[in-house]
């Protein structure tokens, strides 16, 4: 079992920046991919960014060039640096981690952190 705890959300003006953190309860080197997803009111949860165990990254088109995902293997933490924020980035942001154990796929989620972009 893996616990994920997000932090860093809040209210920010358009054009501003925030950094989200996701603290993971064990060695993240064993997790084959970690990422951030978001869900706005009335919409489905969508992928924001992922980072693999080999540091390969992937971004949705809507955040490419503005957001950066990174990981700290010593602190077992994944980050999402969000720059040039727009009102449409407003959502609850969820941390995700996935692993395979003896042929079984496990998908873990944090509780979410609210990001509101508004003037």
């Amino acid at each position: 079992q893996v616990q994920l705890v997000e932090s860093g959300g809040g209210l920010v003006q358009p054009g501003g920046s925030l950094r989200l953190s996701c603290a993971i309860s064990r060695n993240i080197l064993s997790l084959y991919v970690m990422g951030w997803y978001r869900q706005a009111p009335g919409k489905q949860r969508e992928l924001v960014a992922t980072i693999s165990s080999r540091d390969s990254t992937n971004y949705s088109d809507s955040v490419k060039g503005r957001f950066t995902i990174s990981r700290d293997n010593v602190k077992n933490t994944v980050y999402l640096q969000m720059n040039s924020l727009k009102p449409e980035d407003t959502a609850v942001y969820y941390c995700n981690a996935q692993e395979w154990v003896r042929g079984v796929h496990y998908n873990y989620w944090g509780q979410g952190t609210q990001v509101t972009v508004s003037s």
Side-chain angles (χ1 to χ4, degrees), residues 5-85:
V5 179
E6 301 102 333
S7 60
L11 173 65
V12 63
Q13 292 187 342
S17 298
L18 281 176
R19 188 176 81 155
L20 305 183
S21 300
C22 175
I24 300 173
S25 62
R26 65 162 216 246
N27 189 339
I28 63 174
L29 291 174
S30 65
L31 301 168
Y32 84 93
V33 67
M34 293 163 291
W36 290 92
Y37 291 72
R38 67 187 182 187
Q39 188 167 18
K43 294 188 176 181
Q44 289 188 332
R45 191 173 297 189
E46 63 175 3
L47 170 74
V48 176
T50 61
I51 184 166
S52 74
S53 57
R54 298 185 178 185
D55 284 336
S56 175
T57 58
N58 179 54
Y59 297 91
S60 70
D61 288 342
S62 62
V63 307
K64 204 170 292 183
R66 300 187 297 123
F67 291 10
T68 303
I69 189 170
S70 62
R71 53 191 285 166
D72 185 325
N73 295 333
V74 174
K75 295 182 178 180
N76 292 323
T77 301
V78 178
Y79 302 99
L80 185 69
Q81 178 65 43
M82 305 185 295
N83 299 328
S84 302
L85 282 160

Side-chain angles (χ1 to χ4, degrees), residues 13 32 36 51-52 65 83 86 90 94 101-102 112 116 118-119:
Q13 292 187 342
Y32 84 93
W36 290 92
I51 184 166
S52 74
N83 299 328
K86 304 175 181 180
T90 296
Y94 297 91
V101 179
R102 291 189 283 276
T116 302
S118 175
S119 55

